[in-house]
Amino acid sequence: MPINPVFLNGKWLSIDQAMISPLDRGFLFADGCYEVIPIYNQKVFRLSDHLQRLEYSLQSLGIDSGYSNKDWVELFSHLVKQTDDKNYKSYIYLQITRGVESKRDHIVKEAIVPTVFCYAENTATLNDLPEAISVTLQEDIRWHRGDIKAISLLGSVLARRQAMDEGYDDCIFYRDNEIVESSSSNLFIVEGGVVKTPPLSNWLLGGITRLVLLELLEKYRIPFSVEPISVEQLHHASEIWLSSSIKELIPVRQIDGQLISNGEMGEVLKKIWDCWRQYIHSYSENQIESKLT
Ligand SMILES: Cc1ncc(COP(=O)(O)O)c(C=O)c1O
């Protein structure tokens, strides 16, 4: 649940009072983008990476938010203070749409001010790896610009619902026999002892968790490769996991009913989980990135 008050267009309001016009282009056309930024121990996680991705999304959509990095930092500092100091993990949700127009029209003919909505939420701390999930493979029905963190998530919503209706927890998308990502996370496999993840492209989101994991693989000299992964490779992988800001790392135990490493937790993932937890703890104790201006 969002912590009150939430931020909407320069005002701090209770969530019940935060209203937007039905002529907002976010509502009419899903014309906007968003960010989800973890907070550990009241420190914003990898702020500059999240701000860089936000800027990339805004630029790709041609939206000028009117906010500088300094403005975002000031806003996030307020949100951080709202979080429970005894709750180790929280996150910031930020959504920016092109704004409210006077008449519904695909083409924006007038100068409009973007709508900015932002709040913080406390979440459960993940001390142990989340329970392993079952997934199904689905052809990627989403659009060609998965690299933009756009609010138009209908493709993912429908795919996830279909997966759940069929008794799976989530789905993994493929295109032309190549693995892309999951409905709301990136994907890693282990093949022949080497950790592999698909390269960034217009089809998938450049996850910040993925980025940190690649840094950790490098730092701890765990063999890895960023390369295209085929559907066959996925089926033969000895380990598979998903990565995202909210869920961190999620082991996959089954694909379309086929068990991965006999449904057991893989050794490589165990090691990476330890490196990840260590990184998160030292980050939340030492870093001062939330002071970025
Ligand atoms: C489609 C998709 N891919 C990957 C990710 C992982 O990104 P991050 O690690 O920055 O949360 C997300 C997160 O929401 C996502 O929606």
Side-chain angles (χ1 to χ4, degrees):
M1 255 197 350
I3 302 171
N4 271 320
V6 299
F7 179 89
L8 179 62
N9 296 332
K11 296 201 175 88
W12 291 91
L13 302 163
S14 96
I15 189 77
D16 306 329
Q17 287 166 348
M19 308 276 175
I20 58 154
S21 161
L23 287 177
D24 190 284
R25 290 183 62 90
F27 180 65
L28 295 174
F29 296 111
D31 187 354
C33 59
Y34 73 108
E35 266 302 320
V36 174
I37 311 171
I39 301 168
Y40 289 99
N41 210 13
Q42 295 201 305
K43 309 252 173 27
V44 180
F45 187 61
R46 302 289 294 231
L47 178 61
S48 47
D49 293 308
H50 280 279
L51 287 180
Q52 209 174 316
R53 185 172 66 184
L54 174 68
E55 193 48 39
Y56 178 76
S57 298
L58 286 167
Q59 266 185 19
S60 305
L61 300 182
I63 295 176
D64 178 0
S65 71
Y67 285 61
S68 65
N69 277 359
K70 198 162 171 248
D71 296 328
W72 293 129
V73 170
E74 209 175 300
L75 175 51
F76 295 167
S77 313
H78 274 277
L79 293 168
V80 166
K81 282 189 204 125
Q82 290 181 329
T83 61
D84 179 356
D85 60 359
K86 286 173 205 67
N87 196 62
Y88 189 66
K89 186 174 180 187
S90 314
Y91 70 86
I92 292 166
Y93 179 82
L94 167 65
Q95 175 166 322
I96 301 161
T97 73
R98 198 177 303 276
V100 181
E101 53 195 353
S102 54
K103 153 181 185 293
R104 183 184 178 279
D105 195 340
H106 283 69
I107 309 297
V108 188
K109 297 200 183 93
E110 48 196 313
I112 51 176
V113 180
T115 299
V116 176
F117 173 51
C118 200
Y119 64 81
E121 183 161 336
N122 292 313
T123 59
T125 306
L126 298 168
N127 278 322
D128 296 316
L129 263 167
E131 217 174 293
I133 61 166
S134 67
V135 300
T136 179
L137 276 176
Q138 280 186 24
E139 190 164 0
D140 199 348
I141 57 163
R142 304 169 305 163
W143 70 330
H144 291 220
R145 291 305 307 272
D147 54 326
I148 303 171
K149 201 160 168 67
I151 56 172
S152 46
L153 293 173
L154 196 53
S156 290
V157 168
L158 292 181
R160 179 85 189 271
R161 193 177 72 181
Q162 187 186 325
M164 294 188 78
D165 285 350
E166 290 169 4
Y168 301 97
D169 299 305
D170 205 340
C171 66
I172 289 174
F173 292 120
Y174 64 91
R175 265 180 208 266
D176 297 331
N177 205 45
E178 260 186 40
I179 299 301
V180 183
E181 60 179 349
S182 177
S183 67
S184 56
S185 9
N186 294 116
L187 169 136
F188 290 77
I189 70 166
V190 179
E191 185 182 49
V194 179
V195 180
K196 298 186 176 178
T197 192
L200 295 182
S201 72
N202 59 305
W203 303 118
L204 68 152
L205 189 72
I208 307 302
T209 321
R210 172 189 179 279
L211 177 74
V212 175
L213 288 178
L214 289 175
E215 288 175 5
L216 292 175
L217 289 166
E218 177 101 53
K219 178 174 174 193
Y220 290 96
R221 296 172 189 272
I222 300 169
F224 74 96
S225 164
V226 176
E227 61 175 55
I229 297 170
S230 68
V231 170
E232 291 73 31
Q233 279 176 286
L234 185 77
H235 279 298
H236 292 114
S238 55
E239 300 181 39
I240 302 173
W241 65 86
L242 310 179
S243 69
S244 75
S245 294
I246 302 262
K247 299 269 183 64
E248 303 184 357
L249 310 187
I250 316 150
V252 173
R253 70 180 151 77
Q254 232 181 36
I255 300 182
D256 288 322
Q258 174 208 325
L259 280 180
I260 307 299
S261 82
N262 293 322
E264 305 283 323
M265 171 74 61
E267 287 309 310
V268 181
L269 178 54
K270 271 189 211 159
K271 184 166 180 194
I272 294 191
W273 175 251
D274 287 343
C275 301
W276 168 261
R277 291 291 341 142
Q278 216 177 308
Y279 178 75
I280 294 292
H281 280 279
S282 63
Y283 194 92
S284 66
E285 275 151 28
N286 301 327
Q287 74 87 40
I288 47 157
E289 201 182 354
S290 53
K291 297 271 182 296
L292 181 110
T293 49

